[in-house]
Amino acid sequence: MGKDANAIYGINRWGDPYFTVLDNGDMAIATPGKPDYPPVSLPAIITNLEDRGIQLPILLRVSSFLENSLQQINESFAKAIADNDYSGAYRGVFPIKVNQQEQVIERIVSFGQQYHFGLECGSKPELIIALSQPLSDQSLIICNGIKDREFVALAMQSRKIGFNTVIVIESPNELDIVVDVARELDMDPALGVRMKLTHRVGGAWAESSGDRSAFGLTSDQVLDVVDRLRAENLLHTLVLQHSHLGSQIPDLNDVRRAVSEACRYFTELTKEGAPLCYLDLGGGLGFDYTGQKRISDHSVNYTVADYCNAIVEITGYAMNAAGIPHPHLVTESGRATVASSSMLLFNVLEATLYDSADRPEVSEDDHHLITELAALGNITHNDRLSHSLHDAVYLRDELRALFRREQIGIRELAKGERVYLNLIAKFRDLMDKADPDLQSDAREELNSIADIYHCNFSLFQSLPDVWAIDQMHPITPLQRLNETPDRHAILSDITCDSDGKIDQFVVADGVSPTLPVHKLTDDPYYLGAFYVGAYQETLGDLHNLFGDTNVVTIECTPEGGFELLHEVEGDDIAEVLTYVEYDPNDMFAAFKSRVEAAIKRGDITPSERKAITAAYKDSIRGYTYFEH
Ligand SMILES: *Cc1c(COP(=O)(O)O)cnc(C)c1O
């Protein structure tokens, strides 16, 4: 069982090793690397959390998912290093901007300790975060981004208290600040230079690579930096070369070309006298959101092991050819480290259907347009489907026009609409039985009037990249996966914004404009959006003042249960109001004085006063999402 669900949603393609379908039709999470741990049902987790008073929508983090990706990156590098007789080590860093949440950083640092995994900061606040973590002097802290004096001074001084902090010079101007601060503090910093690669990689983030990318030094500028450092007697502090390859690079060949170019700069700068010992290749390691294993914006044509092996092999070869010792390798893999670590769980509140199984009684006495419409339902085979669909739309629109011109009343209009909805149901039935290759026009049209499932979450808060850049995340129902889904839907969020919808889904044979779903019953219907750990959690905004969701971190147990490691309550309404500068106490006072005035006028009784003020007060302390 669960086989159908794999064939429909492609779960076995993108879900391994994290997700699996149970015989009872529940979506379940597995514990990677622990095949003897029974998978844990997500609907069961939701019920359990709701019993504890934690309501949907919930952002669920699974600690073993994060640990699995960290382990995978570090052990794949270790293996590639051993296989290629490479003599440097791997010293990865996590770019804080990809997920700054305290719980996530804390997990990465503590689990990453065994690998001397470090952190990358692109701003002063991120450096402040890094310096609060128990990192050893074996782990790197890499400072990228535009840096002022304060940033540079703090980074430099942190070396005195046992942090291995490297300041990466991103622009010629930054060098002045660095030289100044080093002289003032009378200490040797550890410096890096960021080289702008000319190779432009493919994919959705191509802009962050190549000549026109925002950061980094050109070959000409880096020589100035080297000469200047030599003149200031600081060249011996230049230990790292950084070249950010890009983000979510779909094609391994792009990685190979960019690494070769980075190696060329590395060997040349070494010959110039810089004692470089770290080669930092930035971000770019992609995550296969759709599981298609091919070159596309949401997939990649390589595994983590392929990526690591390509880097180690090319670097080793280039260094051997130049007669230079192998540098330690650094990557700043953000997405690949955290994408898998969390998922958004939410419930469907209601559905708007654009067809109906109810067949209205139509008789001779009805308007002739209505009887003509009803007659279209007599087709029995599907070769005229597209044609009949067009006729139906025409007749329905004529009825609407008559209504506007006061020639029919609301009851006739409503009957016409009901006949039309029943026709659509009939056409859908016919199409489902037809050869999938036939009737593609009709299929597309019927898809475009798919159901709308209204869901309890905000796209703008929880899945901002889906809205902004059409990022794809696998989304599936969390229950009834052993039943064939009988409906197709697009998803609409709880905001009053027509942009708050999802109409692109990962399915077994690729990407579909609708999601196969089940007809709603009286039972709750849950959906999950997976692999949302990278970039989504803090890019979100307060559209319609929907705030942060509840966040729960769990760990599965060997017995098939789970342990709640950490919980952060989502924003209440008072909190989101303070973000936009309201004072909830003042607001409550204003409301109360309005209630007092009504009492004075005798419009309400004292006990009504109590109820009204309590309603306001309870709301202001409530979750911003739909509660039940
Ligand atoms: C954003 C960023 C990263 C992370 O890139 P991923 O593709 O998420 O791995 C790494 N380094 C720098 C400098 C960045 O700006």
Side-chain angles (χ1 to χ4, degrees):
M1 248 189 266
K3 210 151 113 205
D4 279 0
N6 283 325
I8 292 163
Y9 300 102
I11 299 165
N12 49 357
R13 196 187 62 210
W14 52 257
D16 187 57
Y18 304 109
F19 298 99
T20 175
V21 177
L22 303 180
D23 285 348
N24 71 356
D26 282 1
M27 186 69 150
I29 51 177
T31 302
K34 298 259 165 49
D36 50 320
Y37 280 35
V40 186
S41 148
L42 280 170
I45 291 174
I46 291 173
T47 311
N48 184 303
L49 292 175
E50 291 204 312
D51 286 347
R52 302 177 196 220
I54 306 170
Q55 294 210 35
L56 294 171
I58 294 169
L59 183 86
L60 184 73
R61 292 204 183 103
V62 186
S63 60
S64 62
F65 288 11
L66 178 57
E67 289 164 10
N68 182 62
S69 345
L70 265 171
Q71 184 179 354
Q72 197 181 19
I73 293 171
N74 282 283
E75 292 185 359
S76 299
F77 263 113
K79 180 167 190 308
I81 282 171
D83 289 351
N84 289 281
D85 289 324
Y86 190 87
S87 50
Y90 172 66
R91 288 283 182 270
V93 291
F94 177 73
I96 296 176
K97 75 155 193 252
V98 183
N99 190 324
Q100 305 100 327
Q101 301 293 320
E102 197 260 343
Q103 281 300 303
V104 174
I105 298 294
E106 194 263 331
R107 268 328 282 162
I108 291 174
V109 169
S110 69
F111 187 78
Q113 228 143 31
Q114 57 187 311
Y115 305 114
H116 307 299
F117 208 72
L119 295 169
E120 185 265 357
C121 344
S123 69
K124 237 184 307 183
E126 289 179 359
L127 177 61
I128 304 275
I129 291 175
L131 297 180
S132 73
Q133 300 297 317
L135 291 167
S136 82
D137 59 2
Q138 298 283 303
S139 307
L140 285 164
I141 294 179
I142 301 213
C143 301
N144 291 319
I146 295 169
K147 297 173 268 306
D148 62 9
R149 239 189 132 71
E150 206 173 50
F151 190 161
V152 169
L154 183 60
M156 227 179 265
Q157 284 168 300
S158 71
R159 293 188 66 81
K160 290 191 183 170
I161 53 169
F163 286 108
N164 187 9
T165 314
V166 179
I167 300 169
V168 178
I169 296 166
E170 300 247 6
S171 73
N173 292 341
E174 223 159 58
L175 181 60
D176 294 335
I177 301 179
V178 166
V179 168
D180 243 32
V181 175
R183 202 174 290 139
E184 205 176 282
L185 294 173
D186 190 26
M187 65 176 290
D188 274 355
L191 298 182
V193 277
R194 177 155 174 182
M195 291 304 301
K196 189 184 281 199
L197 299 183
T198 57
H199 180 69
R200 209 176 132 96
V201 303
W205 280 267
E207 296 286 314
S208 68
S209 66
D211 272 350
R212 298 283 300 156
S213 58
F215 294 107
L217 302 164
T218 61
S219 52
D220 186 38
Q221 289 168 333
V222 78
L223 287 179
D224 282 349
V225 168
V226 167
D227 291 344
R228 176 86 196 281
L229 285 174
R230 187 181 287 118
E232 300 286 349
N233 204 17
L234 282 172
L235 189 58
H236 63 284
T237 66
L238 184 55
V239 293
L240 178 144
Q241 178 193 306
H242 173 206
S243 302
H244 179 50
L245 301 194
S247 197
Q248 184 68 16
I249 301 174
D251 184 0
L252 188 63
N253 282 343
D254 273 334
V255 173
R256 292 193 171 106
R257 291 184 196 107
V259 172
S260 299
E261 189 184 355
C263 286
R264 280 295 297 136
Y265 288 122
F266 193 96
T267 54
E268 289 291 313
L269 292 179
T270 304
K271 284 181 199 157
E272 288 288 322
L276 296 174
C277 59
Y278 294 104
L279 174 61
D280 178 354
L281 296 161
L285 171 55
F287 186 83
D288 198 352
Y289 290 97
T290 63
Q292 291 171 293
K293 299 187 172 60
R294 64 184 191 91
I295 300 175
S296 85
D297 284 358
H298 312 287
S299 182
V300 294
N301 71 350
Y302 55 89
T303 62
V304 173
D306 295 337
Y307 169 87
C308 299
N309 204 59
I311 288 178
V312 173
E313 195 178 282
I314 289 170
T315 308
Y317 184 83
M319 299 303 145
N320 291 347
I324 288 174
H326 297 169
H328 298 313
L329 294 168
V330 180
T331 67
E332 305 175 349
S333 304
R335 184 186 300 277
T337 305
V338 286
S340 71
S341 71
S342 66
M343 65 196 90
L344 182 71
L345 309 177
F346 52 94
N347 50 319
V348 177
L349 298 170
E350 58 181 322
T352 305
L353 305 187
Y354 291 85
D355 64 14
S356 161
D358 293 337
R359 183 176 189 155
E361 279 301 324
V362 176
S363 74
E364 303 278 288
D365 306 332
D366 281 310
H367 194 281
H368 72 93
L369 288 178
I370 295 180
T371 52
E372 281 174 45
L373 198 55
L376 289 175
N378 296 332
I379 63 162
T380 47
H381 53 90
N382 53 45
D383 43 343
R384 287 183 56 78
L385 204 54
S386 186
H387 205 83
S388 304
L389 186 58
H390 287 153
D391 289 354
V393 171
Y394 173 77
L395 292 169
R396 183 204 59 184
D397 289 351
E398 282 295 290
L399 279 163
R400 288 176 177 179
L402 291 183
F403 175 73
R404 285 196 297 271
R405 283 188 244 120
E406 299 179 36
Q407 288 169 341
I408 59 170
I410 192 169
R411 288 196 173 271
E412 277 175 301
L413 174 72
K415 188 166 197 178
E417 298 278 359
R418 287 210 311 275
V419 172
Y420 172 82
L421 291 179
N422 181 242
L423 269 179
I424 297 295
K426 182 165 275 172
F427 292 164
R428 281 222 162 97
D429 242 24
L430 279 174
M431 199 178 60
D432 286 345
K433 290 174 196 133
D435 183 336
D437 294 333
L438 291 178
Q439 303 291 343
S440 63
D441 286 359
R443 197 174 293 276
E444 212 169 285
E445 275 170 71
L446 287 174
N447 261 340
S448 73
I449 45 174
D451 301 347
I452 299 177
Y453 273 39
H454 300 273
C455 302
N456 191 19
F457 75 99
S458 160
L459 197 68
F460 307 92
Q461 176 62 249
S462 295
L463 301 171
D465 279 349
V466 173
W467 169 68
I469 52 173
D470 293 326
Q471 172 66 47
M472 302 224 18
H473 298 281
I475 295 176
T476 70
L478 301 182
Q479 64 287 296
R480 297 166 67 185
L481 291 168
N482 51 358
E483 288 172 40
T484 307
D486 44 359
R487 307 292 306 178
H488 291 270
I490 66 161
L491 306 183
S492 167
D493 76 358
I494 192 173
T495 69
C496 310
D497 194 310
S498 53
D499 257 2
K501 66 177 189 334
I502 305 180
D503 54 7
Q504 224 197 162
F505 300 92
V506 179
V507 291
D509 49 2
V511 172
S512 159
T514 58
L515 179 69
V517 289
H518 305 85
K519 194 176 285 155
L520 297 184
T521 64
D522 290 338
D523 292 328
Y525 194 73
Y526 305 126
L527 297 175
F530 306 108
Y531 304 146
V532 303
Y535 296 102
Q536 304 312 290
E537 295 188 23
T538 33
L539 280 181
D541 74 4
L542 294 171
H543 199 50
N544 275 136
L545 299 180
F546 288 109
D548 281 341
T549 65
N550 292 319
V551 182
V552 170
T553 308
I554 62 166
E555 183 168 59
C556 298
T557 61
E559 298 78 38
F562 72 95
E563 211 179 299
L564 203 158
L565 298 182
H566 189 79
E567 177 200 347
V568 189
E569 269 187 56
D571 289 326
D572 63 26
I573 291 177
E575 278 168 292
V576 299
L577 290 173
T578 43
Y579 296 157
V580 282
E581 309 294 340
Y582 290 90
D583 180 337
N585 290 328
D586 292 352
M587 298 166 86
F588 186 49
F591 186 79
K592 257 199 326 209
S593 71
R594 183 105 188 187
V595 176
E596 271 314 311
I599 286 214
K600 252 184 224 147
R601 289 196 305 271
D603 291 350
I604 57 169
T605 64
S607 71
E608 282 175 318
R609 173 207 136 114
K610 193 173 162 193
I612 294 173
T613 45
Y616 192 88
K617 202 166 185 167
D618 288 350
S619 291
I620 215 165
R621 286 292 155 210
Y623 200 16
T624 56
Y625 292 89
F626 186 92
E627 297 182 281
H628 59 93

